[in-house]
PDB file of all heavy atoms in Angstrom:
ATOM      1  N   ASP O  84      71.296  66.406  53.030  1.00 91.00           N
ATOM      2  CA  ASP O  84      71.309  66.592  51.578  1.00 91.00           C
ATOM      3  C   ASP O  84      70.112  67.385  51.072  1.00 91.00           C
ATOM      4  O   ASP O  84      69.750  67.293  49.918  1.00 91.00           O
ATOM      5  CB  ASP O  84      71.369  65.224  50.889  1.00 91.00           C
ATOM      6  CG  ASP O  84      70.344  64.261  51.456  1.00 91.00           C
ATOM      7  OD1 ASP O  84      69.502  64.719  52.255  1.00 91.00           O
ATOM      8  OD2 ASP O  84      70.371  63.074  51.101  1.00 91.00           O
ATOM      9  N   THR O  85      69.501  68.176  51.923  1.00 91.00           N
ATOM     10  CA  THR O  85      68.389  69.000  51.458  1.00 91.00           C
ATOM     11  C   THR O  85      68.884  70.415  51.157  1.00 91.00           C
ATOM     12  O   THR O  85      69.968  70.805  51.569  1.00 91.00           O
ATOM     13  CB  THR O  85      67.267  69.048  52.503  1.00 91.00           C
ATOM     14  OG1 THR O  85      67.873  69.204  53.779  1.00 91.00           O
ATOM     15  CG2 THR O  85      66.446  67.777  52.495  1.00 91.00           C
ATOM     16  N   THR O  86      68.064  71.196  50.458  1.00 91.00           N
ATOM     17  CA  THR O  86      68.509  72.471  49.882  1.00 91.00           C
ATOM     18  C   THR O  86      69.197  73.383  50.889  1.00 91.00           C
ATOM     19  O   THR O  86      70.306  73.856  50.664  1.00 91.00           O
ATOM     20  CB  THR O  86      67.283  73.228  49.305  1.00 91.00           C
ATOM     21  OG1 THR O  86      66.498  72.302  48.600  1.00 91.00           O
ATOM     22  CG2 THR O  86      67.718  74.352  48.410  1.00 91.00           C
ATOM     23  N   ASN O  87      68.502  73.642  52.004  1.00 91.00           N
ATOM     24  CA  ASN O  87      69.024  74.575  52.989  1.00 91.00           C
ATOM     25  C   ASN O  87      70.372  74.102  53.527  1.00 91.00           C
ATOM     26  O   ASN O  87      71.321  74.878  53.648  1.00 91.00           O
ATOM     27  CB  ASN O  87      67.991  74.706  54.117  1.00 91.00           C
ATOM     28  CG  ASN O  87      68.193  75.947  54.971  1.00 91.00           C
ATOM     29  OD1 ASN O  87      68.195  75.858  56.176  1.00 91.00           O
ATOM     30  ND2 ASN O  87      68.368  77.106  54.361  1.00 91.00           N
ATOM     31  N   ALA O  88      70.470  72.811  53.813  1.00 94.00           N
ATOM     32  CA  ALA O  88      71.712  72.273  54.365  1.00 94.00           C
ATOM     33  C   ALA O  88      72.843  72.368  53.352  1.00 94.00           C
ATOM     34  O   ALA O  88      73.951  72.800  53.669  1.00 94.00           O
ATOM     35  CB  ALA O  88      71.505  70.818  54.783  1.00 94.00           C
ATOM     36  N   VAL O  89      72.557  72.010  52.107  1.00 95.00           N
ATOM     37  CA  VAL O  89      73.595  72.031  51.077  1.00 95.00           C
ATOM     38  C   VAL O  89      74.093  73.449  50.844  1.00 95.00           C
ATOM     39  O   VAL O  89      75.297  73.709  50.780  1.00 95.00           O
ATOM     40  CB  VAL O  89      73.066  71.420  49.757  1.00 95.00           C
ATOM     41  CG1 VAL O  89      74.056  71.639  48.631  1.00 95.00           C
ATOM     42  CG2 VAL O  89      72.789  69.937  49.940  1.00 95.00           C
ATOM     43  N   SER O  90      73.152  74.411  50.771  1.00 94.00           N
ATOM     44  CA  SER O  90      73.594  75.772  50.452  1.00 94.00           C
ATOM     45  C   SER O  90      74.336  76.409  51.612  1.00 94.00           C
ATOM     46  O   SER O  90      75.292  77.147  51.400  1.00 94.00           O
ATOM     47  CB  SER O  90      72.413  76.636  49.990  1.00 94.00           C
ATOM     48  OG  SER O  90      71.440  76.691  50.981  1.00 94.00           O
ATOM     49  N   ILE O  91      73.935  76.125  52.857  1.00 95.00           N
ATOM     50  CA  ILE O  91      74.663  76.700  53.990  1.00 95.00           C
ATOM     51  C   ILE O  91      76.052  76.063  54.100  1.00 95.00           C
ATOM     52  O   ILE O  91      77.042  76.735  54.362  1.00 95.00           O
ATOM     53  CB  ILE O  91      73.856  76.528  55.295  1.00 95.00           C
ATOM     54  CG1 ILE O  91      72.601  77.390  55.248  1.00 95.00           C
ATOM     55  CG2 ILE O  91      74.707  76.892  56.506  1.00 95.00           C
ATOM     56  CD1 ILE O  91      71.654  77.178  56.391  1.00 95.00           C
ATOM     57  N   ARG O  92      76.129  74.770  53.858  1.00 95.00           N
ATOM     58  CA  ARG O  92      77.438  74.109  53.893  1.00 95.00           C
ATOM     59  C   ARG O  92      78.366  74.717  52.844  1.00 95.00           C
ATOM     60  O   ARG O  92      79.522  75.017  53.108  1.00 95.00           O
ATOM     61  CB  ARG O  92      77.241  72.614  53.652  1.00 95.00           C
ATOM     62  CG  ARG O  92      78.335  71.770  54.218  1.00 95.00           C
ATOM     63  CD  ARG O  92      77.954  70.332  54.433  1.00 95.00           C
ATOM     64  NE  ARG O  92      77.221  69.776  53.316  1.00 95.00           N
ATOM     65  CZ  ARG O  92      76.100  69.085  53.454  1.00 95.00           C
ATOM     66  NH1 ARG O  92      75.594  68.864  54.641  1.00 95.00           N
ATOM     67  NH2 ARG O  92      75.474  68.607  52.404  1.00 95.00           N
ATOM     68  N   ARG O  93      77.813  74.942  51.657  1.00 94.00           N
ATOM     69  CA  ARG O  93      78.627  75.511  50.585  1.00 94.00           C
ATOM     70  C   ARG O  93      79.039  76.950  50.905  1.00 94.00           C
ATOM     71  O   ARG O  93      80.124  77.391  50.586  1.00 94.00           O
ATOM     72  CB  ARG O  93      77.849  75.463  49.268  1.00 94.00           C
ATOM     73  CG  ARG O  93      78.747  75.207  48.075  1.00 94.00           C
ATOM     74  CD  ARG O  93      77.930  74.917  46.861  1.00 94.00           C
ATOM     75  NE  ARG O  93      76.932  75.974  46.661  1.00 94.00           N
ATOM     76  CZ  ARG O  93      76.731  76.587  45.494  1.00 94.00           C
ATOM     77  NH1 ARG O  93      77.436  76.257  44.456  1.00 94.00           N
ATOM     78  NH2 ARG O  93      75.816  77.510  45.375  1.00 94.00           N
ATOM     79  N   PHE O  94      78.139  77.672  51.581  1.00 94.00           N
ATOM     80  CA  PHE O  94      78.443  79.048  51.976  1.00 94.00           C
ATOM     81  C   PHE O  94      79.697  79.079  52.845  1.00 94.00           C
ATOM     82  O   PHE O  94      80.607  79.882  52.626  1.00 94.00           O
ATOM     83  CB  PHE O  94      77.240  79.622  52.740  1.00 94.00           C
ATOM     84  CG  PHE O  94      77.470  80.995  53.308  1.00 94.00           C
ATOM     85  CD1 PHE O  94      77.400  82.115  52.504  1.00 94.00           C
ATOM     86  CD2 PHE O  94      77.749  81.164  54.658  1.00 94.00           C
ATOM     87  CE1 PHE O  94      77.601  83.381  53.025  1.00 94.00           C
ATOM     88  CE2 PHE O  94      77.956  82.424  55.186  1.00 94.00           C
ATOM     89  CZ  PHE O  94      77.885  83.535  54.372  1.00 94.00           C
ATOM     90  N   PHE O  95      79.776  78.169  53.814  1.00 95.00           N
ATOM     91  CA  PHE O  95      80.944  78.180  54.698  1.00 95.00           C
ATOM     92  C   PHE O  95      82.170  77.553  54.040  1.00 95.00           C
ATOM     93  O   PHE O  95      83.289  77.898  54.378  1.00 95.00           O
ATOM     94  CB  PHE O  95      80.621  77.512  56.039  1.00 95.00           C
ATOM     95  CG  PHE O  95      79.807  78.413  56.925  1.00 95.00           C
ATOM     96  CD1 PHE O  95      78.477  78.156  57.183  1.00 95.00           C
ATOM     97  CD2 PHE O  95      80.375  79.561  57.454  1.00 95.00           C
ATOM     98  CE1 PHE O  95      77.723  79.018  57.964  1.00 95.00           C
ATOM     99  CE2 PHE O  95      79.629  80.425  58.239  1.00 95.00           C
ATOM    100  CZ  PHE O  95      78.301  80.155  58.503  1.00 95.00           C
ATOM    101  N   GLU O  96      81.952  76.655  53.093  1.00 94.00           N
ATOM    102  CA  GLU O  96      83.107  76.146  52.347  1.00 94.00           C
ATOM    103  C   GLU O  96      83.734  77.276  51.540  1.00 94.00           C
ATOM    104  O   GLU O  96      84.953  77.383  51.431  1.00 94.00           O
ATOM    105  CB  GLU O  96      82.683  75.004  51.411  1.00 94.00           C
ATOM    106  CG  GLU O  96      82.507  73.680  52.138  1.00 94.00           C
ATOM    107  CD  GLU O  96      81.796  72.641  51.286  1.00 94.00           C
ATOM    108  OE1 GLU O  96      81.453  72.932  50.120  1.00 94.00           O
ATOM    109  OE2 GLU O  96      81.560  71.534  51.811  1.00 94.00           O
ATOM    110  N   ARG O  97      82.905  78.139  50.994  1.00 92.00           N
ATOM    111  CA  ARG O  97      83.431  79.229  50.150  1.00 92.00           C
ATOM    112  C   ARG O  97      83.984  80.382  50.959  1.00 92.00           C
ATOM    113  O   ARG O  97      84.986  80.971  50.592  1.00 92.00           O
ATOM    114  CB  ARG O  97      82.329  79.740  49.220  1.00 92.00           C
ATOM    115  CG  ARG O  97      82.007  78.770  48.122  1.00 92.00           C
ATOM    116  CD  ARG O  97      81.025  79.374  47.154  1.00 92.00           C
ATOM    117  NE  ARG O  97      81.536  80.581  46.507  1.00 92.00           N
ATOM    118  CZ  ARG O  97      81.096  81.039  45.357  1.00 92.00           C
ATOM    119  NH1 ARG O  97      80.162  80.398  44.710  1.00 92.00           N
ATOM    120  NH2 ARG O  97      81.582  82.141  44.842  1.00 92.00           N
ATOM    121  N   THR O  98      83.302  80.740  52.058  1.00 92.00           N
ATOM    122  CA  THR O  98      83.719  81.956  52.755  1.00 92.00           C
ATOM    123  C   THR O  98      84.690  81.667  53.891  1.00 92.00           C
ATOM    124  O   THR O  98      85.389  82.569  54.337  1.00 92.00           O
ATOM    125  CB  THR O  98      82.515  82.712  53.339  1.00 92.00           C
ATOM    126  OG1 THR O  98      81.856  81.855  54.273  1.00 92.00           O
ATOM    127  CG2 THR O  98      81.540  83.121  52.268  1.00 92.00           C
ATOM    128  N   ALA O  99      84.724  80.440  54.392  1.00 93.00           N
ATOM    129  CA  ALA O  99      85.575  80.162  55.552  1.00 93.00           C
ATOM    130  C   ALA O  99      86.460  78.939  55.341  1.00 93.00           C
ATOM    131  O   ALA O  99      87.049  78.454  56.312  1.00 93.00           O
ATOM    132  CB  ALA O  99      84.714  79.976  56.801  1.00 93.00           C
ATOM    133  N   ASP O 100      86.555  78.455  54.100  1.00 92.00           N
ATOM    134  CA  ASP O 100      87.344  77.244  53.850  1.00 92.00           C
ATOM    135  C   ASP O 100      86.990  76.134  54.834  1.00 92.00           C
ATOM    136  O   ASP O 100      87.857  75.369  55.261  1.00 92.00           O
ATOM    137  CB  ASP O 100      88.850  77.539  53.982  1.00 92.00           C
ATOM    138  CG  ASP O 100      89.420  78.077  52.688  1.00 92.00           C
ATOM    139  OD1 ASP O 100      88.799  77.829  51.639  1.00 92.00           O
ATOM    140  OD2 ASP O 100      90.456  78.752  52.744  1.00 92.00           O
ATOM    141  N   ALA O 101      85.728  76.074  55.233  1.00 93.00           N
ATOM    142  CA  ALA O 101      85.348  75.159  56.310  1.00 93.00           C
ATOM    143  C   ALA O 101      85.477  73.710  55.864  1.00 93.00           C
ATOM    144  O   ALA O 101      85.188  73.365  54.716  1.00 93.00           O
ATOM    145  CB  ALA O 101      83.921  75.443  56.737  1.00 93.00           C
ATOM    146  N   THR O 102      85.947  72.872  56.773  1.00 95.00           N
ATOM    147  CA  THR O 102      85.900  71.445  56.561  1.00 95.00           C
ATOM    148  C   THR O 102      84.493  71.005  56.930  1.00 95.00           C
ATOM    149  O   THR O 102      84.029  71.291  58.030  1.00 95.00           O
ATOM    150  CB  THR O 102      86.903  70.732  57.483  1.00 95.00           C
ATOM    151  OG1 THR O 102      88.133  71.448  57.439  1.00 95.00           O
ATOM    152  CG2 THR O 102      87.125  69.303  57.069  1.00 95.00           C
TER     153      THR O 102
END
Side-chain angles (χ1 to χ4, degrees):
Chain O
D84 48 9
T85 42
T86 316
N87 198 228
V89 171
S90 59
I91 292 173
R92 205 159 44 228
R93 215 170 52 131
F94 175 79
F95 284 109
E96 281 167 1
R97 288 186 61 157
T98 61
D100 275 338
T102 315

